[in-house]
Amino acid sequence: MTIGEYIATNVDSNFPLDGVLPFKTKEQYFKKGSMVTDYGETEKYIYFLKSGVVEMTLLHNEEEKIFEFFFHSSFFCAYTSFLNQKPSDIRIRCLGDCIIDIIEREAMLAAYETSLVANKLGRIVTEQLFLIRSKREKDFMTKSAEMRYTELLKCRPELFKLVPLYKIASYLGIHPESLSRIRKDIS
Amino acid sequence: MTIGEYIATNVDSNFPLDGVLPFKTKEQYFKKGSMVTDYGETEKYIYFLKSGVVEMTLLHNEEEKIFEFFFHSSFFCAYTSFLNQKPSDIRIRCLGDCIIDIIEREAMLAAYETSLVANKLGRIVTEQLFLIRSKREKDFMTKSAEMRYTELLKCRPELFKLVPLYKIASYLGIHPESLSRIRKDIS
């Protein structure tokens, strides 16, 4: 999916599929394992993942924990750093080869000044990101690891095809052995 | 602060303080302890808190846990329910007497269709809500209860004037006795 198709599908059905975007984009190819944004960098871009998978991690006592995964046709960046322009506590890395459209922060902010469609897009993408964070926080407060696993399996089955199990365990906040036990118990 | 003042301060400095809002609002007075949105209700409104404090709770094993507090001059609602129009897992209750401006969801969605300022407002409020949720989730993943407490004390000192300690303990995800111990250790 292109950004134009994303807008036509999720933001404004009147937007032509080949319509002119209110900001410049630059397509870039990232090899598997390469870094998009590293810890301590200040985020200067928004990214649209055309193909591939990226992971977001954060550090706790030198252990890397998985914060989120993003798949094709989604916007992502170290958004807290993008918004407050402080060094990122998040690292973004490509789990496979990725094709990514890059939007400069300054171009996005300029579009936000005057463009209705840019603001709709920013609002709707941020709503989606809010829903993800809010659900995850609530899940950690109220659900067991087993419940979180079965829900993930049901709601995001593609994760299990694209991401190794030890990373899914980290995302669920449990040890890989606990995930193996849960999977064994369920099957 | 009024919504017009909020927009002029946070969204668009060209917006006149007495400018016409792109949606209708209705001011309502809520007595201390009254419910704004209850568990199971589908959220039909956005609220702007002109004065007072509200708490958001969610249930875990019949125990009520505090998810968030909101203070004057902020927008709030059961936002997940507002966005997906499913029953809310969040209850919103007034901790003191509150004056609240209410915006109907349909009016907000209509404004989103054509109004630049409505979309800027929606985007910026959602960015702020994202930042809160994302920070809290990261804090739970990487910081001790003591660190979370000292940060809260530093960043949101007004909380300690307006909210009883046992509710702050619930917000921090710890027992009231643990919070007392942390406070004693620090002093």
Side-chain angles (χ1 to χ4, degrees), chain A residues 19-65:
Chain A
V20 178
L21 298 177
F23 40 73
K24 270 195 198 164
T25 68
K26 197 181 118 188
E27 189 182 278
Q28 197 169 320
Y29 174 81
F30 288 78
K31 259 196 109 57
K32 178 177 176 174
S34 57
M35 216 78 81
V36 180
T37 304
D38 204 355
Y39 302 124
E41 278 183 43
T42 300
E43 185 62 271
K44 300 285 187 209
Y45 305 98
I46 291 179
Y47 307 96
F48 181 74
L49 192 54
K50 283 167 125 172
S51 69
V53 187
V54 300
E55 67 172 10
M56 285 187 175
T57 53
L58 78 172
L59 279 178
H60 175 49
N61 294 339
E62 296 177 24
E63 187 199 341
E64 204 152 60
K65 294 194 170 190

Side-chain angles (χ1 to χ4, degrees), chain A residues 1-8 21 23 25 48 75 101 103 121:
Chain A
M1 186 180 266
T2 64
I3 294 179
E5 287 165 353
Y6 183 97
I7 293 174
L21 298 177
F23 40 73
T25 68
F48 181 74
F75 285 93
D101 271 352
I103 305 158
L121 174 65

Side-chain angles (χ1 to χ4, degrees), chain A residues 113 119 123 133 136-137, chain B residues 119 123 133 136-137:
Chain A
E113 283 298 311
N119 279 282
R123 172 176 61 77
R133 297 272 65 84
R136 198 164 131 88
E137 187 186 345
Chain B
N119 279 283
R123 172 176 61 77
R133 297 272 64 84
R136 199 164 130 87
E137 187 187 343

Side-chain angles (χ1 to χ4, degrees), chain A residues 142-153 172 182:
Chain A
T142 60
K143 289 176 186 165
S144 67
E146 188 170 329
M147 285 169 75
R148 296 202 304 277
Y149 165 72
T150 49
E151 267 198 23
L152 196 66
L153 194 61
L172 289 167
I182 290 171

Side-chain angles (χ1 to χ4, degrees), chain A residues 58-61 65-68 79-81 83-84 89-90 109 111-116 118-120 122-123 126-138 140-144 170-171, chain B residues 58-61 65-68 79-81 83-84 89-90 109 111-116 118-120 122-123 126-138 140-144 170-171:
Chain A
L58 78 172
L59 279 178
H60 175 49
N61 294 339
K65 294 194 170 190
I66 293 194
F67 190 60
E68 199 51 72
Y79 203 25
T80 296
S81 175
L83 292 170
N84 67 21
D89 52 3
I90 285 277
L109 297 187
Y112 280 159
E113 283 298 311
T114 55
S115 161
L116 181 62
N119 279 282
K120 281 188 185 181
R123 172 176 61 77
T126 311
E127 286 170 359
Q128 295 308 313
L129 294 174
F130 169 86
L131 287 174
I132 292 171
R133 297 272 65 84
S134 193
K135 171 163 172 38
R136 198 164 131 88
E137 187 186 345
K138 288 174 187 170
F140 273 114
M141 287 173 80
T142 60
K143 289 176 186 165
S144 67
S170 170
Y171 182 60
Chain B
L58 78 173
L59 278 179
H60 176 50
N61 294 339
K65 294 194 171 190
I66 294 195
F67 189 60
E68 200 49 73
Y79 202 25
T80 296
S81 175
L83 292 171
N84 66 21
D89 52 1
I90 284 278
L109 297 188
Y112 279 159
E113 283 298 312
T114 55
S115 162
L116 181 63
N119 279 283
K120 281 188 186 182
R123 172 176 61 77
T126 310
E127 286 171 359
Q128 295 307 313
L129 294 174
F130 169 86
L131 287 175
I132 292 171
R133 297 272 64 84
S134 192
K135 172 166 172 35
R136 199 164 130 87
E137 187 187 343
K138 289 174 186 169
F140 272 115
M141 286 173 80
T142 60
K143 290 176 186 165
S144 67
S170 171
Y171 181 61

Side-chain angles (χ1 to χ4, degrees), chain B residues 29-90:
Chain B
Y29 174 81
F30 289 78
K31 259 194 110 57
K32 178 177 175 172
S34 57
M35 216 77 82
V36 179
T37 304
D38 204 356
Y39 301 124
E41 278 183 42
T42 299
E43 185 61 271
K44 300 285 187 209
Y45 305 98
I46 290 179
Y47 307 95
F48 180 75
L49 192 55
K50 283 167 128 171
S51 69
V53 188
V54 300
E55 66 172 11
M56 286 188 174
T57 54
L58 78 173
L59 278 179
H60 176 50
N61 294 339
E62 295 176 24
E63 186 200 343
E64 204 153 60
K65 294 194 171 190
I66 294 195
F67 189 60
E68 200 49 73
F69 300 105
F70 286 91
F71 297 94
H72 69 87
S73 310
S74 52
F75 285 93
F76 67 95
C77 71
Y79 202 25
T80 296
S81 175
F82 179 90
L83 292 171
N84 66 21
Q85 286 294 283
K86 292 188 180 157
S88 176
D89 52 1
I90 284 278

